[in-house]
Amino acid sequence: MRVKGGRRGEMVRTGEPYSEASQANALSAASSFFTYLDKVSDKGVKNPFDAVQRPYLGPDYSPTPGYTEQEWATLLVTARDHRRAAAYRRRAYALLLTLYTCCLRIDPLLNARVEDLGSDKGHRVLLLEKMKGGGRKK
């Protein structure tokens, strides 16, 4: 089988090495597959990835660059004033402003329901579904 990026018959990957995050993801997927096989098979299946040392990824590290204040301001102004129907502009602006000011992920905010609205010590709160790493966020 030819390796991606290699010539015909070449069995070694060429090019830039995978990042540590990509390596960790691939090892995790392969290890999870063998864990699944062990659970569903009648005979025990040894996980060959148990002995593989995985790269350390800091829990707070992200290679994704964040927006600058000016980029956020431009995005918010565009959402508020762009040539769309007024109802869509207000909704897009409210969504982006909530994401920005509360440092939220998009999925929990999009999955929020009216029933999740509440109050805490006189403040309006939105109880969001389980966040990355566990727990709920107000």
Side-chain angles (χ1 to χ4, degrees), residues 17-89:
Y18 290 122
S19 70
E20 288 186 343
S22 294
Q23 292 173 24
N25 285 339
L27 289 170
S28 177
S31 179
S32 294
F33 177 69
F34 276 94
T35 301
Y36 165 77
L37 286 179
D38 184 40
K39 288 182 180 178
V40 298
S41 71
D42 294 334
K43 304 174 193 171
V45 175
K46 184 176 178 339
N47 187 344
F49 293 94
D50 284 343
V52 176
Q53 185 175 357
R54 298 178 191 207
Y56 172 76
L57 301 174
D60 297 329
Y61 171 73
S62 173
T64 307
Y67 286 150
T68 64
E69 291 289 329
Q70 183 58 42
E71 289 170 329
W72 264 111
T74 303
L75 182 61
L76 289 169
V77 167
T78 302
R80 186 188 65 204
D81 300 335
H82 198 55
R83 297 181 298 264
R84 294 186 189 266
Y88 296 131
R89 286 192 305 236

Side-chain angles (χ1 to χ4, degrees), residues 52-128:
V52 176
Q53 185 175 357
R54 298 178 191 207
Y56 172 76
L57 301 174
D60 297 329
Y61 171 73
S62 173
T64 307
Y67 286 150
T68 64
E69 291 289 329
Q70 183 58 42
E71 289 170 329
W72 264 111
T74 303
L75 182 61
L76 289 169
V77 167
T78 302
R80 186 188 65 204
D81 300 335
H82 198 55
R83 297 181 298 264
R84 294 186 189 266
Y88 296 131
R89 286 192 305 236
R90 283 181 274 164
R91 183 171 49 194
Y93 179 72
L95 178 72
L96 289 171
L97 191 60
T98 304
L99 287 172
Y100 175 66
T101 57
C102 298
C103 300
L104 298 175
R105 292 175 166 268
I106 188 72
D107 283 341
L109 186 57
L110 291 177
N111 289 325
R113 301 287 178 247
V114 172
E115 301 85 44
D116 299 330
L117 283 173
S119 62
D120 182 23
K121 299 178 184 172
H123 298 279
R124 298 289 290 170
V125 294
L126 179 62
L127 189 60
L128 298 174

